[in-house]
Amino acid sequence: LGKSHLCFVPVSFAALACLLTFALSAQFMVATIYESVTGSIPLWLTFVSWWLFSLLGGMFAQHHSRELGGLQKQLSEFSVQRTKCFCCNAGHIHPLTNEHMPCDRELVYDALASW
């Protein structure tokens, strides 16, 4: 208790989760509309919609698995010292206002130290 935990997930996870949610919602809406018009849902419609949903789910799982594998490699090669910061590249002077900017790298170091 008391330890903070980090959870790294690929950026594409959110988009893929939204896609799956949309696909499931679309399947539900099609079935609901079909049932309201005809009075029942035929077996073929259920089969086709679940097949499509399963296909999308499989594609999601495969893509997510590939992304997780890449994430592990990225994390193993990551170095805070090699990151590029806008503030450092601009000499810590905002190009439009000519005001001093705090260093992003120092903020990152402070955050890492607090973890």
Side-chain angles (χ1 to χ4, degrees), residues 12 14-15 21 32 36 39-40 48-49 52 55 61-62 67 74 84 87 93 100 108-111 114:
S12 63
T21 302
T32 302
S36 68
S40 66
V48 168
S49 61
L52 287 173
L55 179 67
Q62 182 182 27
E67 289 281 318
Q74 288 176 12
K84 293 182 181 178
C87 60
I93 303 296
H100 181 269
V108 170
Y109 287 151
D110 289 345
S114 72

mmCIF file of all heavy atoms in Angstrom, residues 12 14-15 21 32 36 39-40 48-49 52 55 61-62 67 74 84 87 93 100 108-111 114:
data_model
loop_
_atom_site.group_PDB
_atom_site.id
_atom_site.type_symbol
_atom_site.label_atom_id
_atom_site.label_comp_id
_atom_site.label_asym_id
_atom_site.label_seq_id
_atom_site.Cartn_x
_atom_site.Cartn_y
_atom_site.Cartn_z
ATOM 1 N N SER A 12 -2.966 3.371 -29.300
ATOM 2 C CA SER A 12 -4.018 2.839 -30.175
ATOM 3 C C SER A 12 -5.097 2.098 -29.397
ATOM 4 O O SER A 12 -6.169 1.832 -29.930
ATOM 5 C CB SER A 12 -3.412 1.911 -31.219
ATOM 6 O OG SER A 12 -2.804 0.796 -30.586
ATOM 7 N N ALA A 14 -7.119 3.042 -27.030
ATOM 8 C CA ALA A 14 -8.363 3.803 -26.890
ATOM 9 C C ALA A 14 -9.164 3.794 -28.182
ATOM 10 O O ALA A 14 -10.385 3.595 -28.169
ATOM 11 C CB ALA A 14 -8.054 5.235 -26.462
ATOM 12 N N ALA A 15 -8.503 3.985 -29.306
ATOM 13 C CA ALA A 15 -9.202 3.990 -30.592
ATOM 14 C C ALA A 15 -9.801 2.625 -30.888
ATOM 15 O O ALA A 15 -10.946 2.526 -31.359
ATOM 16 C CB ALA A 15 -8.251 4.405 -31.705
ATOM 17 N N THR A 21 -16.616 -0.873 -29.256
ATOM 18 C CA THR A 21 -17.852 -0.390 -28.649
ATOM 19 C C THR A 21 -18.840 0.033 -29.721
ATOM 20 O O THR A 21 -20.035 -0.278 -29.648
ATOM 21 C CB THR A 21 -17.558 0.798 -27.705
ATOM 22 O OG1 THR A 21 -16.635 0.361 -26.716
ATOM 23 C CG2 THR A 21 -18.819 1.315 -27.045
ATOM 24 N N THR A 32 -32.238 -4.527 -33.043
ATOM 25 C CA THR A 32 -33.422 -3.883 -32.474
ATOM 26 C C THR A 32 -34.348 -3.357 -33.569
ATOM 27 O O THR A 32 -35.570 -3.538 -33.511
ATOM 28 C CB THR A 32 -33.007 -2.724 -31.539
ATOM 29 O OG1 THR A 32 -32.163 -3.253 -30.520
ATOM 30 C CG2 THR A 32 -34.214 -2.062 -30.912
ATOM 31 N N SER A 36 -38.079 -4.704 -34.489
ATOM 32 C CA SER A 36 -39.254 -3.822 -34.426
ATOM 33 C C SER A 36 -40.028 -3.829 -35.740
ATOM 34 O O SER A 36 -41.240 -3.646 -35.743
ATOM 35 C CB SER A 36 -38.838 -2.404 -34.067
ATOM 36 O OG SER A 36 -38.097 -1.819 -35.115
ATOM 37 N N GLY A 39 -40.759 -8.210 -36.119
ATOM 38 C CA GLY A 39 -41.310 -8.906 -34.956
ATOM 39 C C GLY A 39 -40.399 -9.974 -34.388
ATOM 40 O O GLY A 39 -40.694 -10.529 -33.337
ATOM 41 N N SER A 40 -39.332 -10.299 -35.091
ATOM 42 C CA SER A 40 -38.392 -11.298 -34.571
ATOM 43 C C SER A 40 -37.012 -11.057 -35.178
ATOM 44 O O SER A 40 -36.863 -10.351 -36.173
ATOM 45 C CB SER A 40 -38.864 -12.720 -34.898
ATOM 46 O OG SER A 40 -38.829 -12.920 -36.305
ATOM 47 N N VAL A 48 -24.482 -13.618 -38.298
ATOM 48 C CA VAL A 48 -23.642 -12.694 -39.056
ATOM 49 C C VAL A 48 -23.120 -11.570 -38.161
ATOM 50 O O VAL A 48 -21.942 -11.215 -38.198
ATOM 51 C CB VAL A 48 -24.404 -12.122 -40.276
ATOM 52 C CG1 VAL A 48 -23.654 -10.956 -40.901
ATOM 53 C CG2 VAL A 48 -24.645 -13.212 -41.303
ATOM 54 N N SER A 49 -23.999 -11.013 -37.334
ATOM 55 C CA SER A 49 -23.566 -9.900 -36.489
ATOM 56 C C SER A 49 -22.539 -10.366 -35.450
ATOM 57 O O SER A 49 -21.552 -9.674 -35.197
ATOM 58 C CB SER A 49 -24.755 -9.214 -35.825
ATOM 59 O OG SER A 49 -25.451 -10.114 -34.995
ATOM 60 N N LEU A 52 -19.202 -10.931 -37.251
ATOM 61 C CA LEU A 52 -18.502 -9.673 -37.494
ATOM 62 C C LEU A 52 -17.903 -9.115 -36.210
ATOM 63 O O LEU A 52 -16.764 -8.631 -36.197
ATOM 64 C CB LEU A 52 -19.443 -8.647 -38.130
ATOM 65 C CG LEU A 52 -19.808 -8.899 -39.586
ATOM 66 C CD1 LEU A 52 -20.875 -7.916 -40.045
ATOM 67 C CD2 LEU A 52 -18.581 -8.816 -40.470
ATOM 68 N N LEU A 55 -14.898 -11.150 -35.327
ATOM 69 C CA LEU A 55 -13.801 -10.827 -36.232
ATOM 70 C C LEU A 55 -13.116 -9.532 -35.790
ATOM 71 O O LEU A 55 -11.885 -9.471 -35.695
ATOM 72 C CB LEU A 55 -14.319 -10.689 -37.666
ATOM 73 C CG LEU A 55 -13.292 -10.335 -38.724
ATOM 74 C CD1 LEU A 55 -12.311 -11.479 -38.912
ATOM 75 C CD2 LEU A 55 -13.989 -10.010 -40.033
ATOM 76 N N ALA A 61 -7.592 -7.873 -30.608
ATOM 77 C CA ALA A 61 -6.682 -8.616 -29.732
ATOM 78 C C ALA A 61 -5.312 -8.791 -30.392
ATOM 79 O O ALA A 61 -4.274 -8.628 -29.740
ATOM 80 C CB ALA A 61 -7.283 -9.970 -29.378
ATOM 81 N N GLN A 62 -5.309 -9.089 -31.682
ATOM 82 C CA GLN A 62 -4.047 -9.277 -32.394
ATOM 83 C C GLN A 62 -3.258 -7.970 -32.451
ATOM 84 O O GLN A 62 -2.060 -7.940 -32.178
ATOM 85 C CB GLN A 62 -4.325 -9.790 -33.801
ATOM 86 C CG GLN A 62 -3.083 -10.066 -34.608
ATOM 87 C CD GLN A 62 -3.419 -10.535 -36.010
ATOM 88 O OE1 GLN A 62 -4.470 -10.207 -36.559
ATOM 89 N NE2 GLN A 62 -2.530 -11.305 -36.599
ATOM 90 N N GLU A 67 1.039 -4.379 -30.320
ATOM 91 C CA GLU A 67 1.393 -3.088 -29.730
ATOM 92 C C GLU A 67 2.063 -3.276 -28.364
ATOM 93 O O GLU A 67 2.996 -2.560 -28.032
ATOM 94 C CB GLU A 67 0.148 -2.214 -29.576
ATOM 95 C CG GLU A 67 -0.409 -1.705 -30.884
ATOM 96 C CD GLU A 67 0.370 -0.528 -31.423
ATOM 97 O OE1 GLU A 67 0.731 0.352 -30.633
ATOM 98 O OE2 GLU A 67 0.620 -0.492 -32.637
ATOM 99 N N GLN A 74 10.094 -0.450 -26.581
ATOM 100 C CA GLN A 74 10.249 0.997 -26.445
ATOM 101 C C GLN A 74 10.656 1.373 -25.021
ATOM 102 O O GLN A 74 11.524 2.223 -24.821
ATOM 103 C CB GLN A 74 8.954 1.711 -26.809
ATOM 104 C CG GLN A 74 8.636 1.707 -28.283
ATOM 105 C CD GLN A 74 7.287 2.353 -28.558
ATOM 106 O OE1 GLN A 74 6.693 2.981 -27.700
ATOM 107 N NE2 GLN A 74 6.804 2.170 -29.777
ATOM 108 N N LYS A 84 13.892 14.819 -26.438
ATOM 109 C CA LYS A 84 14.021 16.193 -26.918
ATOM 110 C C LYS A 84 12.852 16.993 -26.371
ATOM 111 O O LYS A 84 11.707 16.556 -26.402
ATOM 112 C CB LYS A 84 14.012 16.225 -28.439
ATOM 113 C CG LYS A 84 15.229 15.565 -29.046
ATOM 114 C CD LYS A 84 15.206 15.661 -30.541
ATOM 115 C CE LYS A 84 16.429 14.968 -31.110
ATOM 116 N NZ LYS A 84 16.422 14.991 -32.565
ATOM 117 N N CYS A 87 11.236 23.187 -25.010
ATOM 118 C CA CYS A 87 11.831 24.280 -24.233
ATOM 119 C C CYS A 87 13.344 24.331 -24.415
ATOM 120 O O CYS A 87 13.916 25.409 -24.602
ATOM 121 C CB CYS A 87 11.455 24.153 -22.761
ATOM 122 S SG CYS A 87 12.026 22.613 -22.013
ATOM 123 N N ILE A 93 13.340 30.107 -24.079
ATOM 124 C CA ILE A 93 12.699 31.391 -24.356
ATOM 125 C C ILE A 93 11.544 31.119 -25.320
ATOM 126 O O ILE A 93 11.738 30.546 -26.399
ATOM 127 C CB ILE A 93 13.681 32.401 -25.007
ATOM 128 C CG1 ILE A 93 14.908 32.619 -24.121
ATOM 129 C CG2 ILE A 93 12.980 33.720 -25.333
ATOM 130 C CD1 ILE A 93 14.605 33.263 -22.781
ATOM 131 N N HIS A 100 10.732 33.661 -20.474
ATOM 132 C CA HIS A 100 11.434 32.462 -20.024
ATOM 133 C C HIS A 100 10.440 31.317 -19.841
ATOM 134 O O HIS A 100 9.334 31.505 -19.325
ATOM 135 C CB HIS A 100 12.177 32.735 -18.710
ATOM 136 C CG HIS A 100 12.928 31.543 -18.217
ATOM 137 N ND1 HIS A 100 12.379 30.627 -17.360
ATOM 138 C CD2 HIS A 100 14.186 31.116 -18.488
ATOM 139 C CE1 HIS A 100 13.261 29.674 -17.122
ATOM 140 N NE2 HIS A 100 14.382 29.951 -17.790
ATOM 141 N N VAL A 108 9.836 16.565 -15.672
ATOM 142 C CA VAL A 108 9.786 15.104 -15.819
ATOM 143 C C VAL A 108 10.654 14.447 -14.749
ATOM 144 O O VAL A 108 10.244 13.472 -14.101
ATOM 145 C CB VAL A 108 10.224 14.664 -17.230
ATOM 146 C CG1 VAL A 108 10.418 13.158 -17.316
ATOM 147 C CG2 VAL A 108 9.215 15.141 -18.259
ATOM 148 N N TYR A 109 11.863 14.970 -14.534
ATOM 149 C CA TYR A 109 12.738 14.426 -13.495
ATOM 150 C C TYR A 109 12.085 14.504 -12.121
ATOM 151 O O TYR A 109 12.160 13.557 -11.331
ATOM 152 C CB TYR A 109 14.084 15.152 -13.466
ATOM 153 C CG TYR A 109 15.021 14.832 -14.600
ATOM 154 C CD1 TYR A 109 15.935 15.778 -15.046
ATOM 155 C CD2 TYR A 109 15.019 13.589 -15.222
ATOM 156 C CE1 TYR A 109 16.817 15.492 -16.086
ATOM 157 C CE2 TYR A 109 15.889 13.304 -16.260
ATOM 158 C CZ TYR A 109 16.776 14.259 -16.683
ATOM 159 O OH TYR A 109 17.636 13.971 -17.695
ATOM 160 N N ASP A 110 11.444 15.624 -11.842
ATOM 161 C CA ASP A 110 10.754 15.782 -10.539
ATOM 162 C C ASP A 110 9.638 14.766 -10.397
ATOM 163 O O ASP A 110 9.455 14.176 -9.328
ATOM 164 C CB ASP A 110 10.215 17.198 -10.392
ATOM 165 C CG ASP A 110 11.319 18.226 -10.184
ATOM 166 O OD1 ASP A 110 12.459 17.839 -9.866
ATOM 167 O OD2 ASP A 110 11.023 19.434 -10.367
ATOM 168 N N ALA A 111 8.880 14.552 -11.477
ATOM 169 C CA ALA A 111 7.777 13.588 -11.423
ATOM 170 C C ALA A 111 8.316 12.173 -11.215
ATOM 171 O O ALA A 111 7.778 11.399 -10.417
ATOM 172 C CB ALA A 111 6.945 13.652 -12.705
ATOM 173 N N SER A 114 9.414 11.660 -7.666
ATOM 174 C CA SER A 114 8.310 11.517 -6.709
ATOM 175 C C SER A 114 7.663 10.138 -6.784
ATOM 176 O O SER A 114 7.036 9.694 -5.842
ATOM 177 C CB SER A 114 7.275 12.614 -6.922
ATOM 178 O OG SER A 114 6.553 12.385 -8.124
#
